[in-house]
Amino acid sequence: MLPDALRERAARVKLLALDVDGVLTDGRLYYGPDGESLKVFDVKDGLGLRLLREESIAIAIVSAKRSTMLERRLADLKIPDVCLGREDKRRALDEVCARVGASLDEVCFVGDDAFDLPVLRAVGLSAAPADAHPIVKREVAWLLQARGGRGAVREVCDALLDARGRLDAAIEALLSPR
């Protein structure tokens, strides 16, 4: 699941921060007849984020873009730390870290393209989907097997929980009646 060399770093993660286009989505934009843009999200990624949230690992979204559709999806996922329309992703992440009480060394960031490099270079655990831009692939500590919008986020969520020895327990807790 996670390379052994990264398990210790993954076990220390207090905050998972994600780019959107190319990470939570496959990066493609669809335009409807009235000019509205549409994005596709993977439900498995959403469940992985729920598992993390219930295990008290903070989640943040840091994206240069903003859209009503994205805001709706993030509300559905109950992600409170959302920085949209922020091209200076490093500054946005610093603000989130201050709010949640995490150091950059305790952050896992998943990005896929050049705008993500300043953040990927600063965090304790950098990751990229399998279909990330080659320049990003060269720089991250962890190249995921899944593609953006196709399970990459779930792969990260499962691995972070597994590194803490909590993956099976988190899934069982989800299945238990409340």
Side-chain angles (χ1 to χ4, degrees):
M1 180 175 285
L2 182 67
D4 287 339
L6 300 178
R7 285 185 70 80
E8 184 178 318
R9 282 197 262 175
R12 289 193 318 259
V13 168
K14 289 184 179 178
L15 170 65
L16 172 63
L18 305 167
D19 176 39
V20 175
D21 294 324
V23 174
L24 271 174
T25 75
D26 64 9
R28 296 182 295 167
L29 294 175
Y30 301 86
Y31 287 93
D34 295 323
E36 73 278 14
S37 65
L38 307 172
K39 299 178 185 206
V40 177
F41 299 91
D42 190 319
V43 71
K44 290 183 235 41
D45 289 344
L47 183 56
L49 293 169
R50 179 177 172 188
L51 291 169
L52 278 192
R53 188 177 66 247
E54 292 186 10
E55 289 291 317
S56 299
I57 296 174
I59 302 162
I61 302 299
V62 181
S63 178
K65 299 230 172 122
R66 114 177 292 130
S67 73
T68 303
M69 180 180 313
L70 173 57
E71 290 170 6
R72 168 75 189 271
R73 179 62 177 149
L74 298 178
D76 288 347
L77 293 172
K78 298 180 177 115
I79 297 175
D81 277 301
V82 176
C83 298
L84 302 181
R86 302 284 301 270
E87 287 191 12
D88 187 344
K89 293 182 179 187
R90 172 62 198 277
R91 176 182 262 165
L93 183 62
D94 286 341
E95 293 167 10
V96 172
C97 285
R99 281 196 300 273
V100 302
S103 69
L104 286 173
D105 192 51
E106 297 168 319
V107 175
C108 174
F109 183 77
V110 186
D112 71 305
D113 214 333
F115 276 127
D116 301 317
L117 288 171
V119 176
L120 290 166
R121 291 171 177 159
V123 298
L125 182 56
S126 60
D131 58 343
H133 190 279
I135 195 168
V136 171
K137 288 181 178 182
R138 285 196 314 253
E139 294 211 26
V140 296
W142 180 17
L143 184 59
L144 303 168
Q145 294 179 11
R147 295 172 28 207
R150 302 288 178 135
V153 172
R154 180 61 182 268
E155 182 180 339
V156 171
C157 294
D158 286 356
L160 293 178
L161 291 170
D162 186 59
R164 292 174 171 218
R166 295 288 306 156
L167 179 59
D168 292 338
I171 291 172
E172 287 305 316
L174 183 73
L175 299 175
S176 298
R178 297 187 184 221

